[in-house]
Amino acid sequence: MLTAVPVLAATDLDRTAELYSAAGFDVTGRHDGYLVLHAGPVELHFAQDQETTPGACYFHVTDVATVRERLEAMVAGSTGPLGDTDYGLREFWFTDPDGNRVRFGSPVS
């Protein structure tokens, strides 16, 4: 296996596309009730159906502070604090409007 692609729940695919675009993703596929996003080699899928439950995932990014700033500007109060971990990453969490919990992190300088 080479990659894992999380499939997350979304109630509004247009809102989801706009929000994740702020984090650096591009819409690369759009189907009936389904959205595919890419940021470099990272692929993320969203499904708009009642069987999909909110999920969680982790993204390694080059500049975690910038990603947090962009997301917090769009959805104030939905991001956790930016902090350094004991395993060498600076990270924060983000909960999107559909309840998906996403963590972003980059190496501590």
Side-chain angles (χ1 to χ4, degrees):
M1 288 184 251
L2 298 175
T3 62
V5 178
V7 179
L8 305 174
T11 56
D12 182 331
L13 294 177
D14 291 330
R15 177 186 66 200
T16 299
E18 180 179 319
L19 187 60
Y20 282 86
S21 290
F25 287 85
D26 295 313
V27 175
T28 56
R30 187 84 185 245
H31 312 283
D32 187 22
Y34 206 82
L35 177 67
V36 179
L37 303 170
H38 276 91
V42 177
E43 185 171 340
L44 188 57
H45 294 194
F46 287 88
Q48 190 175 29
D49 65 45
Q50 295 180 356
E51 293 179 356
T52 305
T53 58
C57 58
Y58 191 96
F59 293 102
H60 292 276
V61 297
T62 57
D63 185 358
V64 70
T66 298
V67 173
R68 185 184 184 283
E69 181 178 300
R70 289 178 184 163
L71 290 173
E72 183 65 18
M74 290 190 73
V75 188
S78 294
T79 61
L82 186 62
D84 294 347
T85 67
D86 58 355
Y87 43 89
L89 295 174
R90 178 166 292 134
E91 51 182 45
F92 75 96
W93 56 261
F94 168 70
T95 302
D96 74 13
D98 294 301
N100 297 302
R101 177 59 63 99
V102 180
R103 289 184 1 203
F104 293 86
S106 58
V108 175
S109 305

XYZ file of all heavy atoms in Angstrom:
831
model
N 0.842 -1.184 0.000
C 0.000 0.000 0.000
C 0.882 1.240 0.000
O 1.875 1.293 0.717
C -0.910 -0.002 1.218
C -2.005 -1.031 1.130
S -3.118 -0.932 2.513
C -2.625 -2.436 3.352
N 0.460 2.234 -0.785
C 1.266 3.444 -0.896
C 0.666 4.640 -0.180
O 1.397 5.488 0.330
C 1.484 3.799 -2.369
C 2.245 2.770 -3.183
C 2.297 3.182 -4.650
C 3.649 2.577 -2.631
N -0.653 4.760 -0.177
C -1.287 5.916 0.454
C -2.585 5.498 1.137
O -3.147 4.455 0.836
C -1.640 7.013 -0.574
O -2.566 6.472 -1.506
C -0.419 7.518 -1.302
N -3.031 6.337 2.016
C -4.344 6.187 2.640
C -5.134 7.445 2.332
O -4.604 8.550 2.414
C -4.207 6.016 4.145
N -6.377 7.293 1.936
C -7.213 8.444 1.601
C -8.415 8.442 2.537
O -9.311 7.612 2.410
C -7.682 8.383 0.132
C -8.588 9.555 -0.184
C -6.494 8.341 -0.808
N -8.469 9.371 3.471
C -9.637 9.434 4.343
C -10.860 9.931 3.571
O -10.747 10.789 2.704
C -9.243 10.433 5.430
C -8.059 11.154 4.923
C -7.467 10.364 3.811
N -12.007 9.371 3.880
C -13.283 9.839 3.330
C -14.074 10.398 4.500
O -14.462 9.664 5.410
C -14.059 8.707 2.638
C -15.395 9.227 2.112
C -13.229 8.101 1.518
N -14.296 11.704 4.471
C -14.940 12.406 5.568
C -16.351 12.820 5.187
O -16.679 12.952 4.010
C -14.118 13.645 5.940
C -12.644 13.390 6.286
C -11.915 14.705 6.483
C -12.528 12.505 7.507
N -17.181 13.053 6.179
C -18.561 13.486 5.961
C -18.613 14.970 5.632
O -17.797 15.752 6.103
C -19.389 13.226 7.215
N -19.594 15.342 4.803
C -19.836 16.751 4.490
C -21.320 16.945 4.217
O -21.927 16.162 3.488
C -19.025 17.187 3.283
N -21.896 17.966 4.808
C -23.300 18.275 4.538
C -23.439 19.298 3.420
O -24.490 19.394 2.806
C -24.000 18.809 5.800
O -23.284 19.948 6.271
C -24.056 17.740 6.885
N -22.373 20.064 3.146
C -22.397 21.093 2.111
C -21.055 21.052 1.380
O -20.046 21.559 1.878
C -22.616 22.463 2.755
C -22.712 23.608 1.765
O -22.100 23.520 0.675
O -23.381 24.604 2.094
N -21.031 20.430 0.204
C -19.779 20.246 -0.521
C -19.172 21.551 -1.004
O -17.943 21.684 -1.060
C -19.974 19.283 -1.693
C -20.301 17.836 -1.283
C -20.545 16.986 -2.525
C -19.203 17.232 -0.433
N -19.992 22.544 -1.337
C -19.456 23.841 -1.747
C -18.711 24.505 -0.593
O -17.604 25.013 -0.757
C -20.573 24.769 -2.247
C -21.169 24.313 -3.563
O -20.437 23.692 -4.373
O -22.361 24.561 -3.788
N -19.313 24.491 0.582
C -18.669 25.068 1.767
C -17.379 24.315 2.088
O -16.348 24.920 2.399
C -19.635 25.006 2.949
C -19.027 25.519 4.256
C -19.949 25.318 5.429
N -20.119 23.890 5.667
C -21.128 23.360 6.358
N -22.064 24.125 6.864
N -21.213 22.062 6.527
N -17.423 22.996 2.002
C -16.249 22.178 2.284
C -15.117 22.501 1.321
O -13.964 22.670 1.729
C -16.618 20.688 2.211
O -17.615 20.417 3.205
C -15.414 19.796 2.457
N -15.430 22.613 0.019
C -14.411 22.941 -0.978
C -13.784 24.297 -0.682
O -12.556 24.457 -0.743
C -15.021 22.929 -2.375
N -14.588 25.277 -0.334
C -14.080 26.621 -0.046
C -13.182 26.616 1.189
O -12.106 27.224 1.199
C -15.250 27.579 0.153
C -14.809 29.000 0.452
C -15.989 29.932 0.629
O -16.957 29.820 -0.135
O -15.929 30.763 1.548
N -13.623 25.932 2.212
C -12.880 25.903 3.466
C -11.526 25.220 3.309
O -10.490 25.751 3.723
C -13.716 25.195 4.531
C -13.190 25.200 5.944
C -13.050 26.617 6.457
C -14.140 24.413 6.831
N -11.504 24.050 2.682
C -10.256 23.324 2.531
C -9.343 23.970 1.485
O -8.129 23.791 1.530
C -10.515 21.843 2.263
C -10.873 21.127 3.543
C -12.183 21.088 4.003
C -9.892 20.539 4.335
C -12.512 20.477 5.194
C -10.202 19.917 5.534
C -11.525 19.890 5.962
O -11.834 19.292 7.151
N -9.901 24.729 0.571
C -9.068 25.501 -0.358
C -8.215 26.500 0.410
O -7.065 26.771 0.054
C -9.934 26.228 -1.388
O -10.516 25.302 -2.276
N -8.755 27.047 1.490
C -7.999 27.979 2.330
C -6.802 27.307 2.990
O -5.822 27.965 3.330
C -8.908 28.587 3.396
N -6.884 25.987 3.156
C -5.781 25.242 3.758
C -4.799 24.740 2.700
O -3.849 24.041 3.029
C -6.331 24.065 4.566
N -5.046 25.096 1.425
C -4.109 24.735 0.376
C -4.534 23.599 -0.530
O -3.749 23.143 -1.356
N -5.760 23.127 -0.413
C -6.249 22.047 -1.265
C -6.893 22.590 -2.537
O -7.467 23.668 -2.533
C -7.283 21.199 -0.512
C -6.685 20.322 0.538
C -6.434 20.804 1.810
C -6.370 19.014 0.254
C -5.873 20.001 2.777
C -5.807 18.190 1.221
C -5.551 18.684 2.482
N -6.805 21.801 -3.621
C -7.467 22.111 -4.877
C -8.538 21.054 -5.134
O -8.312 19.857 -4.885
C -6.477 22.077 -6.051
C -5.428 23.165 -5.944
O -5.804 24.323 -5.679
O -4.245 22.856 -6.139
N -9.686 21.476 -5.652
C -10.733 20.532 -6.043
C -10.280 19.863 -7.332
O -10.005 20.527 -8.321
C -12.080 21.246 -6.253
C -13.126 20.277 -6.781
C -12.559 21.902 -4.959
N -10.174 18.529 -7.301
C -9.737 17.788 -8.484
C -10.801 16.828 -8.995
O -10.628 16.221 -10.038
C -8.440 17.010 -8.202
O -8.643 16.150 -7.088
C -7.293 17.977 -7.920
N -11.888 16.697 -8.274
C -12.980 15.834 -8.710
C -14.264 16.211 -8.007
O -14.255 16.571 -6.832
N -15.341 16.151 -8.739
C -16.642 16.471 -8.163
C -17.656 15.544 -8.807
O -17.779 15.506 -10.027
C -16.981 17.935 -8.464
C -18.214 18.450 -7.779
C -17.854 18.908 -6.369
N -19.026 19.296 -5.633
C -19.265 20.518 -5.208
N -18.434 21.496 -5.446
N -20.348 20.772 -4.524
N -18.328 14.767 -8.007
C -19.321 13.816 -8.477
C -20.590 14.031 -7.669
O -20.580 14.779 -6.688
C -18.811 12.383 -8.320
C -17.417 12.190 -8.857
N -17.153 12.079 -10.198
C -16.225 12.126 -8.229
C -15.854 11.940 -10.381
N -15.260 11.971 -9.203
N -21.663 13.373 -8.025
C -22.917 13.506 -7.299
C -22.713 13.113 -5.830
O -22.514 11.945 -5.509
C -23.982 12.628 -7.945
C -25.350 12.842 -7.336
O -25.586 13.905 -6.729
O -26.193 11.944 -7.467
N -22.701 14.107 -4.955
C -22.532 13.840 -3.522
C -21.120 13.493 -3.096
O -20.921 12.983 -1.996
N -20.128 13.785 -3.925
C -18.755 13.382 -3.615
C -17.779 14.450 -4.097
O -17.933 14.999 -5.186
C -18.437 12.048 -4.305
C -17.369 11.241 -3.618
C -17.669 10.451 -2.524
C -16.067 11.264 -4.084
C -16.691 9.699 -1.901
C -15.078 10.517 -3.474
C -15.395 9.725 -2.379
O -14.429 8.984 -1.761
N -16.759 14.716 -3.289
C -15.774 15.749 -3.573
C -14.381 15.176 -3.364
O -14.126 14.500 -2.366
C -16.007 16.927 -2.616
C -15.050 18.105 -2.667
C -15.193 18.846 -3.994
C -15.338 19.051 -1.497
N -13.461 15.442 -4.293
C -12.077 14.994 -4.194
C -11.180 16.230 -4.185
O -11.300 17.096 -5.048
C -11.693 14.070 -5.375
C -10.232 13.638 -5.268
C -12.609 12.860 -5.429
N -10.283 16.295 -3.210
C -9.358 17.416 -3.060
C -7.924 16.902 -3.045
O -7.657 15.801 -2.566
C -9.632 18.160 -1.744
C -11.042 18.703 -1.540
C -11.221 19.175 -0.107
C -11.312 19.821 -2.504
N -7.004 17.726 -3.551
C -5.576 17.399 -3.519
C -4.771 18.614 -3.062
O -5.121 19.742 -3.391
C -5.066 17.006 -4.913
C -5.310 15.588 -5.252
N -6.438 15.165 -5.901
C -4.567 14.489 -5.033
C -6.387 13.866 -6.082
N -5.262 13.424 -5.560
N -3.706 18.355 -2.355
C -2.685 19.348 -2.020
C -1.365 18.612 -2.184
O -0.976 17.825 -1.318
C -2.850 19.877 -0.609
N -0.709 18.814 -3.321
C 0.495 18.032 -3.612
C 0.136 16.563 -3.652
O -0.849 16.182 -4.287
N 0.873 15.718 -2.925
C 0.581 14.284 -2.944
C -0.551 13.861 -1.999
O -0.921 12.694 -1.961
C 1.908 13.660 -2.507
C 2.499 14.692 -1.604
C 2.107 16.028 -2.209
N -1.099 14.790 -1.252
C -2.150 14.464 -0.281
C -3.509 14.492 -0.966
O -3.853 15.442 -1.657
C -2.131 15.454 0.905
C -3.262 15.164 1.871
C -0.796 15.394 1.617
N -4.294 13.441 -0.750
C -5.629 13.327 -1.334
C -6.649 13.181 -0.217
O -6.443 12.431 0.734
C -5.676 12.107 -2.249
C -6.960 11.949 -3.003
C -6.868 10.843 -4.045
O -5.749 10.471 -4.438
O -7.938 10.353 -4.439
N -7.743 13.914 -0.336
C -8.789 13.915 0.676
C -10.143 13.845 -0.024
O -10.371 14.552 -0.996
C -8.673 15.206 1.493
C -9.519 15.392 2.730
C -9.282 14.275 3.740
C -9.184 16.739 3.365
N -11.021 12.969 0.458
C -12.345 12.798 -0.141
C -13.427 13.167 0.878
O -13.267 12.914 2.072
C -12.569 11.346 -0.556
C -11.674 10.882 -1.647
N -11.927 9.720 -2.325
C -10.538 11.400 -2.184
C -10.997 9.538 -3.251
N -10.130 10.542 -3.168
N -14.527 13.719 0.384
C -15.687 14.027 1.215
C -16.921 13.419 0.574
O -17.126 13.562 -0.634
C -15.885 15.544 1.349
C -14.859 16.186 2.235
C -13.659 16.620 1.711
C -15.100 16.332 3.592
C -12.705 17.205 2.515
C -14.138 16.912 4.404
C -12.945 17.348 3.867
N -17.748 12.770 1.385
C -18.991 12.163 0.900
C -20.174 12.831 1.574
O -20.160 13.104 2.774
C -19.002 10.667 1.187
N -21.198 13.058 0.786
C -22.408 13.693 1.295
C -23.515 12.638 1.334
O -24.417 12.618 0.516
C -22.787 14.855 0.372
C -23.867 15.744 0.895
C -24.083 16.921 -0.045
O -23.862 16.833 -1.238
N -24.523 18.035 0.504
N -23.415 11.751 2.326
C -24.458 10.749 2.510
C -24.638 10.472 3.987
O -23.785 10.789 4.793
C -24.161 9.470 1.724
C -22.920 8.732 2.217
O -22.757 8.578 3.436
O -22.126 8.319 1.377
N -25.728 9.862 4.328
C -26.060 9.685 5.742
C -25.302 8.535 6.390
O -25.282 8.428 7.607
C -27.568 9.489 5.886
C -28.337 10.716 5.473
C -29.828 10.548 5.616
O -30.314 9.479 5.965
N -30.549 11.612 5.358
N -24.660 7.684 5.612
C -23.916 6.574 6.197
C -22.499 6.970 6.585
O -21.853 6.274 7.355
C -23.869 5.406 5.218
C -25.223 4.779 4.983
C -25.161 3.638 3.989
O -24.092 3.381 3.417
O -26.193 3.005 3.799
N -22.023 8.070 6.063
C -20.676 8.529 6.404
C -20.724 9.279 7.723
O -21.538 10.164 7.910
C -20.129 9.456 5.301
O -20.193 8.764 4.061
C -18.711 9.860 5.576
N -19.863 8.919 8.633
C -19.803 9.606 9.929
C -18.571 10.494 9.961
O -17.597 10.250 9.253
C -19.739 8.591 11.075
O -18.604 7.759 10.879
C -20.995 7.741 11.139
N -18.592 11.538 10.798
C -17.413 12.391 10.900
C -16.167 11.571 11.236
O -16.238 10.570 11.939
C -17.767 13.358 12.026
C -19.255 13.420 11.972
C -19.687 12.011 11.627
N -15.044 12.018 10.712
C -13.798 11.298 10.905
C -12.692 12.198 11.411
O -12.938 13.324 11.849
N -11.487 11.696 11.314
C -10.315 12.442 11.762
C -9.133 12.084 10.887
O -9.071 10.988 10.327
C -10.010 12.114 13.217
N -8.193 13.004 10.756
C -6.970 12.739 10.013
C -5.892 13.726 10.435
O -6.160 14.675 11.166
C -7.206 12.777 8.510
S -7.865 14.319 7.896
N -4.683 13.465 9.968
C -3.528 14.294 10.314
C -2.807 14.686 9.039
O -2.616 13.859 8.152
C -2.562 13.522 11.216
C -1.498 14.403 11.806
C -1.654 14.934 13.073
C -0.341 14.716 11.097
C -0.684 15.766 13.622
C 0.621 15.540 11.634
C 0.448 16.058 12.890
O 1.411 16.874 13.434
N -2.387 15.948 8.971
C -1.642 16.441 7.816
C -0.331 17.046 8.267
O -0.308 17.901 9.149
C -2.442 17.501 7.050
C -3.658 16.947 6.394
C -4.904 17.151 6.964
C -3.556 16.218 5.229
C -6.034 16.630 6.363
C -4.684 15.693 4.630
C -5.925 15.896 5.188
N 0.742 16.607 7.625
C 2.041 17.242 7.805
C 2.116 18.391 6.809
O 1.872 18.194 5.624
C 3.171 16.248 7.536
C 3.249 15.163 8.554
N 3.910 15.330 9.752
C 2.745 13.911 8.569
C 3.815 14.223 10.454
N 3.110 13.341 9.758
N 2.415 19.600 7.282
C 2.493 20.783 6.428
C 3.829 21.490 6.658
O 4.489 21.251 7.663
C 1.312 21.758 6.690
C -0.018 21.099 6.355
C 1.303 22.247 8.130
N 4.190 22.376 5.737
C 5.467 23.082 5.888
C 5.363 24.277 6.822
O 6.338 24.631 7.472
C 6.008 23.548 4.523
O 5.029 24.361 3.902
C 6.351 22.365 3.632
N 4.205 24.907 6.908
C 4.040 26.107 7.734
C 2.709 26.042 8.477
O 1.707 26.591 8.039
C 4.117 27.356 6.862
C 4.068 28.651 7.661
O 3.930 28.603 8.909
O 4.169 29.719 7.037
N 2.709 25.377 9.592
C 1.478 25.132 10.335
C 0.835 26.427 10.832
O -0.384 26.543 10.872
C 1.724 24.140 11.488
C 2.560 24.756 12.602
C 0.413 23.582 12.030
N 1.630 27.428 11.157
C 1.072 28.690 11.661
C 0.238 29.384 10.588
O -0.827 29.939 10.883
C 2.181 29.606 12.156
N 0.688 29.356 9.342
C -0.064 29.973 8.251
C -1.379 29.250 7.999
O -2.415 29.884 7.798
C 0.785 30.016 6.968
O 1.943 30.820 7.216
C 0.013 30.596 5.803
N -1.346 27.927 8.018
C -2.583 27.153 7.825
C -3.581 27.487 8.921
O -4.761 27.733 8.660
C -2.295 25.639 7.778
C -3.586 24.839 7.740
C -1.420 25.292 6.586
N -3.114 27.532 10.165
C -4.014 27.855 11.274
C -4.604 29.251 11.111
O -5.797 29.464 11.324
C -3.296 27.755 12.612
C -4.256 27.975 13.780
C -3.550 27.985 15.128
N -4.523 28.106 16.192
C -5.136 29.233 16.527
N -4.897 30.346 15.856
N -6.009 29.250 17.512
N -3.772 30.205 10.747
C -4.230 31.580 10.576
C -5.343 31.663 9.518
O -6.356 32.328 9.715
C -3.043 32.449 10.165
C -3.358 33.909 9.983
C -2.105 34.681 9.617
O -1.151 34.678 10.420
O -2.083 35.265 8.522
N -5.164 30.974 8.404
C -6.167 30.991 7.333
C -7.482 30.357 7.769
O -8.555 30.887 7.499
C -5.638 30.260 6.108
C -4.545 31.002 5.387
C -4.051 30.186 4.224
N -2.941 30.832 3.568
C -2.120 30.210 2.734
N -2.298 28.926 2.454
N -1.131 30.860 2.170
N -7.389 29.211 8.440
C -8.616 28.534 8.880
C -9.331 29.326 9.970
O -10.556 29.448 9.955
C -8.301 27.115 9.351
C -7.896 26.149 8.249
C -7.437 24.826 8.844
C -9.042 25.927 7.278
N -8.578 29.861 10.914
C -9.190 30.643 11.998
C -9.876 31.882 11.445
O -10.927 32.294 11.937
C -8.136 31.019 13.044
C -8.677 31.771 14.228
C -9.659 31.001 15.109
O -9.708 29.757 15.030
O -10.392 31.653 15.882
N -9.327 32.467 10.390
C -9.946 33.645 9.773
C -11.284 33.289 9.130
O -12.196 34.109 9.095
C -9.012 34.249 8.728
N -11.408 32.069 8.639
C -12.648 31.645 7.972
C -13.709 31.164 8.952
O -14.892 31.409 8.769
C -12.368 30.533 6.962
C -11.609 31.034 5.751
S -11.556 29.797 4.466
C -13.245 29.857 3.890
N -13.281 30.421 9.961
C -14.224 29.831 10.913
C -13.675 30.039 12.320
O -13.128 29.123 12.938
C -14.453 28.327 10.630
C -15.580 27.780 11.489
C -14.753 28.083 9.161
N -13.811 31.256 12.821
C -13.261 31.605 14.131
C -13.782 30.667 15.209
O -14.950 30.311 15.228
C -13.610 33.047 14.476
N -12.889 30.254 16.098
C -13.258 29.403 17.213
C -13.263 27.924 16.906
O -13.534 27.118 17.785
N -12.949 27.541 15.671
C -12.951 26.129 15.304
C -11.559 25.513 15.312
O -11.404 24.360 14.963
C -13.572 25.948 13.915
O -14.932 26.283 13.952
N -10.556 26.301 15.681
C -9.196 25.778 15.735
C -8.697 25.766 17.174
O -9.026 26.640 17.967
C -8.231 26.631 14.877
O -8.217 27.954 15.377
C -8.635 26.632 13.420
N -7.913 24.745 17.469
C -7.295 24.675 18.777
C -6.024 25.501 18.804
O -5.594 26.037 17.776
N -5.413 25.607 19.966
C -4.196 26.405 20.079
C -3.031 25.770 19.328
O -2.960 24.549 19.179
C -3.930 26.426 21.585
C -4.618 25.213 22.104
C -5.807 24.985 21.214
N -2.135 26.612 18.859
C -0.906 26.156 18.221
C 0.097 25.867 19.323
O 0.328 26.709 20.194
C -0.385 27.259 17.287
C 0.814 26.937 16.414
C 0.505 25.800 15.459
C 1.217 28.182 15.635
N 0.658 24.667 19.313
C 1.598 24.324 20.372
C 2.624 23.298 19.936
O 2.427 22.580 18.953
N 3.737 23.248 20.660
C 4.807 22.302 20.381
C 4.562 21.017 21.165
O 4.139 21.053 22.321
C 6.161 22.887 20.778
C 6.544 24.090 19.935
O 5.898 24.318 18.888
O 7.485 24.799 20.320
N 4.843 19.897 20.506
C 4.666 18.595 21.149
C 6.006 18.060 21.626
O 7.069 18.545 21.221
C 4.063 17.591 20.147
O 5.030 17.337 19.123
C 2.764 18.116 19.544
N 5.948 17.027 22.450
C 7.178 16.390 22.903
C 7.766 15.479 21.825
O 8.863 14.967 21.977
C 6.954 15.622 24.199
C 5.894 14.553 24.090
O 5.237 14.443 23.033
O 5.714 13.808 25.073
N 7.062 15.297 20.706
C 7.587 14.488 19.606
C 8.064 15.346 18.427
O 8.204 14.878 17.305
C 6.584 13.426 19.139
C 5.151 13.871 19.017
C 4.662 14.420 17.831
C 4.287 13.731 20.096
C 3.349 14.828 17.724
C 2.969 14.133 19.989
C 2.505 14.667 18.803
O 1.193 15.071 18.702
N 8.345 16.633 18.688
C 9.031 17.469 17.716
C 8.192 18.164 16.663
O 8.725 18.661 15.679
N 6.878 18.217 16.855
C 6.019 18.902 15.900
C 5.284 20.062 16.552
O 4.914 19.986 17.727
C 4.999 17.939 15.297
C 5.552 16.813 14.430
C 4.436 15.856 14.030
C 6.239 17.367 13.204
N 5.099 21.110 15.800
C 4.219 22.216 16.198
C 2.904 21.927 15.500
O 2.858 21.724 14.293
C 4.802 23.543 15.734
C 3.915 24.733 16.074
C 4.656 26.042 15.906
N 5.694 26.087 16.941
C 6.954 26.442 16.737
N 7.356 26.802 15.537
N 7.823 26.454 17.713
N 1.804 21.870 16.263
C 0.545 21.473 15.665
C -0.657 22.160 16.291
O -0.547 22.802 17.336
C 0.367 19.955 15.691
C 0.566 19.302 17.016
C 0.421 17.780 16.970
O 0.955 17.126 16.060
O -0.232 17.263 17.871
N -1.798 22.023 15.612
C -3.081 22.475 16.117
C -4.146 21.561 15.543
O -3.912 20.825 14.592
C -3.363 23.938 15.724
C -3.741 24.129 14.273
C -5.078 24.197 13.893
C -2.774 24.220 13.290
C -5.423 24.362 12.560
C -3.106 24.387 11.962
C -4.439 24.455 11.590
N -5.311 21.574 16.142
C -6.434 20.812 15.607
C -7.474 21.777 15.062
O -7.501 22.949 15.421
C -7.047 19.888 16.655
C -7.498 20.595 17.909
C -6.809 20.677 19.081
C -8.724 21.307 18.107
N -7.524 21.414 19.992
C -8.713 21.817 19.425
C -9.821 21.577 17.312
C -9.746 22.568 19.960
C -10.862 22.331 17.845
C -10.815 22.814 19.150
N -8.295 21.253 14.205
C -9.361 22.015 13.558
C -10.582 21.120 13.464
O -10.473 19.954 13.107
C -8.897 22.447 12.166
C -9.988 22.982 11.283
C -10.573 24.208 11.551
C -10.423 22.264 10.193
C -11.575 24.706 10.739
C -11.416 22.754 9.368
C -11.993 23.978 9.642
N -11.737 21.649 13.836
C -12.987 20.923 13.662
C -13.798 21.656 12.611
O -14.130 22.829 12.783
C -13.790 20.839 14.983
O -12.969 20.210 15.970
C -15.067 20.044 14.791
N -14.084 20.969 11.495
C -14.833 21.629 10.431
C -16.326 21.645 10.769
O -16.755 21.043 11.762
C -14.518 21.020 9.066
C -15.129 19.668 8.799
O -16.027 19.213 9.536
O -14.706 19.037 7.810
N -17.142 22.355 10.000
C -18.564 22.485 10.326
C -19.341 21.166 10.356
O -20.437 21.118 10.901
C -19.098 23.399 9.219
C -17.928 24.210 8.801
C -16.766 23.259 8.901
N -18.770 20.095 9.804
C -19.433 18.795 9.825
C -18.930 17.900 10.949
O -19.300 16.733 11.029
C -19.268 18.110 8.470
C -20.008 18.871 7.386
O -21.238 19.034 7.521
O -19.357 19.340 6.443
N -18.085 18.419 11.819
C -17.620 17.663 12.975
C -16.359 16.851 12.750
O -15.933 16.120 13.632
N -15.744 16.937 11.577
C -14.497 16.222 11.320
C -13.358 16.906 12.074
O -13.216 18.118 12.024
C -14.178 16.209 9.823
C -15.236 15.476 9.034
O -15.496 14.308 9.279
N -15.865 16.165 8.101
N -12.556 16.125 12.775
C -11.423 16.653 13.534
C -10.149 16.401 12.740
O -9.810 15.262 12.442
C -11.345 15.968 14.896
C -10.169 16.360 15.784
C -10.075 17.834 16.135
N -11.173 18.358 16.902
C -11.186 18.538 18.217
N -10.135 18.225 18.927
N -12.245 19.034 18.815
N -9.468 17.473 12.376
C -8.265 17.396 11.577
C -7.130 18.056 12.347
O -7.318 19.125 12.926
C -8.462 18.106 10.210
C -7.212 18.026 9.366
C -9.651 17.512 9.469
N -5.964 17.415 12.364
C -4.790 18.002 12.988
C -3.770 18.317 11.910
O -3.580 17.540 10.971
C -4.192 17.057 14.023
C -5.064 16.936 15.238
C -4.471 16.076 16.325
N -3.174 15.544 16.002
C -2.671 14.450 16.577
N -3.335 13.794 17.487
N -1.480 14.007 16.242
N -3.116 19.453 12.065
C -2.061 19.896 11.161
C -0.793 20.059 11.979
O -0.843 20.549 13.103
C -2.407 21.242 10.528
C -3.581 21.211 9.586
C -4.872 21.357 10.052
C -3.375 21.052 8.221
C -5.945 21.338 9.193
C -4.455 21.038 7.347
C -5.744 21.177 7.832
N 0.341 19.691 11.403
C 1.594 19.834 12.123
C 2.784 20.006 11.201
O 2.755 19.557 10.053
N 3.804 20.670 11.708
C 5.068 20.811 10.995
C 6.197 20.735 12.011
O 5.991 20.999 13.205
C 5.130 22.107 10.189
O 4.946 23.235 10.992
N 7.405 20.361 11.569
C 8.521 20.251 12.507
C 8.804 21.556 13.234
O 8.701 22.627 12.651
C 9.705 19.863 11.602
C 9.071 19.265 10.388
C 7.781 20.005 10.202
N 9.152 21.450 14.494
C 9.546 22.613 15.281
C 10.902 23.063 14.781
O 11.810 22.255 14.610
C 9.617 22.269 16.794
C 10.149 23.448 17.588
C 8.259 21.838 17.298
N 11.042 24.366 14.518
C 12.322 24.891 13.988
C 13.391 24.846 15.036
O 13.195 25.179 16.166
C 12.140 26.346 13.523
O 11.102 26.433 12.597
